[in-house]
Short mmCIF file of all heavy atoms in Angstrom, two decimals:
data_model
loop_
_atom_site.label_atom_id
_atom_site.label_comp_id
_atom_site.label_asym_id
_atom_site.label_seq_id
_atom_site.Cartn_x
_atom_site.Cartn_y
_atom_site.Cartn_z
N TRP A 21 99.61 118.74 121.08
CA TRP A 21 99.62 117.39 120.52
C TRP A 21 98.50 116.54 121.12
O TRP A 21 97.75 115.88 120.39
CB TRP A 21 100.98 116.73 120.79
CG TRP A 21 101.06 115.30 120.37
CD1 TRP A 21 101.17 114.82 119.11
CD2 TRP A 21 101.03 114.15 121.23
NE1 TRP A 21 101.22 113.44 119.13
CE2 TRP A 21 101.14 113.01 120.41
CE3 TRP A 21 100.95 113.99 122.62
CZ2 TRP A 21 101.15 111.72 120.93
CZ3 TRP A 21 100.95 112.70 123.14
CH2 TRP A 21 101.05 111.59 122.30
N SER A 22 98.38 116.57 122.44
CA SER A 22 97.37 115.73 123.10
C SER A 22 95.96 116.19 122.74
O SER A 22 95.04 115.37 122.60
CB SER A 22 97.56 115.75 124.62
OG SER A 22 97.39 117.06 125.13
N LYS A 23 95.77 117.50 122.58
CA LYS A 23 94.46 118.00 122.18
C LYS A 23 94.11 117.57 120.76
O LYS A 23 92.96 117.25 120.45
CB LYS A 23 94.44 119.53 122.28
CG LYS A 23 93.09 120.16 121.96
CD LYS A 23 93.08 121.65 122.27
CE LYS A 23 94.05 122.40 121.37
NZ LYS A 23 93.96 123.87 121.58
N GLY A 24 95.11 117.54 119.90
CA GLY A 24 94.87 117.15 118.51
C GLY A 24 94.62 115.67 118.32
O GLY A 24 94.02 115.27 117.32
N LEU A 25 95.08 114.84 119.26
CA LEU A 25 94.93 113.39 119.13
C LEU A 25 93.50 112.97 118.80
O LEU A 25 93.28 112.06 118.01
CB LEU A 25 95.39 112.69 120.41
CG LEU A 25 96.89 112.59 120.68
CD1 LEU A 25 97.14 112.01 122.06
CD2 LEU A 25 97.58 111.74 119.61
N TRP A 26 92.55 113.64 119.41
CA TRP A 26 91.14 113.24 119.26
C TRP A 26 90.36 114.26 118.44
O TRP A 26 89.14 114.28 118.48
CB TRP A 26 90.51 113.05 120.64
CG TRP A 26 91.42 112.29 121.56
CD1 TRP A 26 92.01 112.74 122.71
CD2 TRP A 26 91.91 110.96 121.37
NE1 TRP A 26 92.82 111.77 123.24
CE2 TRP A 26 92.78 110.66 122.45
CE3 TRP A 26 91.70 109.98 120.39
CZ2 TRP A 26 93.44 109.44 122.57
CZ3 TRP A 26 92.36 108.76 120.51
CH2 TRP A 26 93.20 108.50 121.59
N GLY A 27 91.07 115.08 117.67
CA GLY A 27 90.39 116.09 116.88
C GLY A 27 89.83 115.60 115.57
O GLY A 27 89.13 116.34 114.88
N LEU A 28 90.14 114.36 115.21
CA LEU A 28 89.68 113.84 113.93
C LEU A 28 88.71 112.67 114.10
O LEU A 28 88.55 111.86 113.18
CB LEU A 28 90.89 113.39 113.08
CG LEU A 28 91.86 114.48 112.66
CD1 LEU A 28 93.05 113.87 111.93
CD2 LEU A 28 91.18 115.52 111.78
N LEU A 29 88.07 112.58 115.26
CA LEU A 29 87.20 111.42 115.51
C LEU A 29 86.03 111.37 114.54
O LEU A 29 85.68 110.30 114.03
CB LEU A 29 86.70 111.45 116.95
CG LEU A 29 87.74 111.13 118.04
CD1 LEU A 29 87.09 111.17 119.41
CD2 LEU A 29 88.38 109.78 117.80
N VAL A 30 85.39 112.52 114.28
CA VAL A 30 84.25 112.55 113.35
C VAL A 30 84.72 112.14 111.95
O VAL A 30 84.09 111.31 111.29
CB VAL A 30 83.60 113.94 113.31
CG1 VAL A 30 82.55 114.01 112.21
CG2 VAL A 30 82.97 114.27 114.66
N PHE A 31 85.83 112.71 111.52
CA PHE A 31 86.34 112.40 110.19
C PHE A 31 86.77 110.94 110.10
O PHE A 31 86.59 110.29 109.07
CB PHE A 31 87.51 113.32 109.85
CG PHE A 31 87.98 113.21 108.44
CD1 PHE A 31 87.19 113.65 107.39
CD2 PHE A 31 89.21 112.66 108.14
CE1 PHE A 31 87.61 113.54 106.08
CE2 PHE A 31 89.65 112.55 106.83
CZ PHE A 31 88.84 112.99 105.80
N THR A 32 87.35 110.41 111.19
CA THR A 32 87.74 109.01 111.22
C THR A 32 86.53 108.11 111.00
O THR A 32 86.58 107.14 110.22
CB THR A 32 88.39 108.65 112.57
OG1 THR A 32 89.52 109.49 112.78
CG2 THR A 32 88.84 107.20 112.59
N MET A 33 85.42 108.44 111.65
CA MET A 33 84.21 107.64 111.47
C MET A 33 83.66 107.79 110.05
O MET A 33 83.20 106.81 109.43
CB MET A 33 83.14 108.06 112.48
CG MET A 33 81.83 107.29 112.37
SD MET A 33 82.05 105.49 112.48
CE MET A 33 82.42 105.31 114.23
N GLN A 34 83.74 109.00 109.49
CA GLN A 34 83.24 109.22 108.13
C GLN A 34 84.00 108.38 107.11
O GLN A 34 83.41 107.76 106.24
CB GLN A 34 83.32 110.71 107.78
CG GLN A 34 82.27 111.56 108.47
CD GLN A 34 82.48 113.04 108.20
OE1 GLN A 34 83.60 113.51 108.08
NE2 GLN A 34 81.39 113.78 108.10
N ILE A 35 85.33 108.39 107.22
CA ILE A 35 86.10 107.62 106.23
C ILE A 35 85.97 106.12 106.48
O ILE A 35 86.02 105.32 105.56
CB ILE A 35 87.58 108.04 106.21
CG1 ILE A 35 88.28 107.67 107.51
CG2 ILE A 35 87.75 109.50 105.88
CD1 ILE A 35 89.79 107.67 107.39
N SER A 36 85.78 105.73 107.75
CA SER A 36 85.59 104.31 108.06
C SER A 36 84.29 103.81 107.44
O SER A 36 84.24 102.73 106.84
CB SER A 36 85.57 104.10 109.57
OG SER A 36 86.80 104.46 110.15
N ILE A 37 83.24 104.62 107.56
CA ILE A 37 81.95 104.26 106.96
C ILE A 37 82.07 104.19 105.44
O ILE A 37 81.54 103.27 104.80
CB ILE A 37 80.87 105.28 107.39
CG1 ILE A 37 80.50 105.07 108.85
CG2 ILE A 37 79.63 105.17 106.51
CD1 ILE A 37 79.56 106.11 109.41
N ALA A 38 82.78 105.16 104.86
CA ALA A 38 82.95 105.17 103.40
C ALA A 38 83.65 103.89 102.94
O ALA A 38 83.27 103.28 101.94
CB ALA A 38 83.74 106.40 102.97
N LEU A 39 84.68 103.48 103.68
CA LEU A 39 85.43 102.29 103.31
C LEU A 39 84.59 101.03 103.45
O LEU A 39 84.58 100.16 102.57
CB LEU A 39 86.69 102.18 104.17
CG LEU A 39 87.66 101.06 103.83
CD1 LEU A 39 88.19 101.22 102.41
CD2 LEU A 39 88.81 101.03 104.82
N VAL A 40 83.84 100.92 104.54
CA VAL A 40 83.01 99.74 104.81
C VAL A 40 81.89 99.61 103.78
O VAL A 40 81.67 98.54 103.20
CB VAL A 40 82.44 99.80 106.24
CG1 VAL A 40 81.34 98.74 106.41
CG2 VAL A 40 83.53 99.57 107.27
N PHE A 41 81.18 100.71 103.52
CA PHE A 41 80.06 100.64 102.58
C PHE A 41 80.56 100.47 101.14
O PHE A 41 79.90 99.81 100.33
CB PHE A 41 79.19 101.89 102.69
CG PHE A 41 78.35 101.93 103.95
CD1 PHE A 41 77.78 103.11 104.39
CD2 PHE A 41 78.15 100.79 104.71
CE1 PHE A 41 77.01 103.16 105.54
CE2 PHE A 41 77.39 100.81 105.87
CZ PHE A 41 76.82 102.00 106.29
N SER A 42 81.70 101.06 100.81
CA SER A 42 82.25 100.86 99.46
C SER A 42 82.61 99.40 99.25
O SER A 42 82.36 98.84 98.18
CB SER A 42 83.49 101.74 99.26
OG SER A 42 83.15 103.11 99.26
N THR A 43 83.20 98.78 100.27
CA THR A 43 83.52 97.36 100.18
C THR A 43 82.26 96.52 100.04
O THR A 43 82.22 95.55 99.27
CB THR A 43 84.31 96.90 101.43
OG1 THR A 43 85.47 97.72 101.58
CG2 THR A 43 84.73 95.44 101.31
N ALA A 44 81.22 96.89 100.79
CA ALA A 44 79.95 96.15 100.73
C ALA A 44 79.34 96.23 99.33
O ALA A 44 78.65 95.30 98.89
CB ALA A 44 78.97 96.70 101.76
#
């Protein structure tokens, strides 16, 4: 569980960027 907590950091940034730029 603890190892998986930070396993999606790259994907988190990718979707965050998609959301921010789509809103822009």
Side-chain angles (χ1 to χ4, degrees):
W21 175 75
S22 63
K23 183 172 65 175
L25 285 174
W26 315 116
L28 296 176
L29 288 181
V30 172
F31 188 68
T32 303
M33 180 55 73
Q34 286 174 325
I35 67 163
S36 297
I37 287 173
L39 185 61
V40 167
F41 288 163
S42 293
T43 304

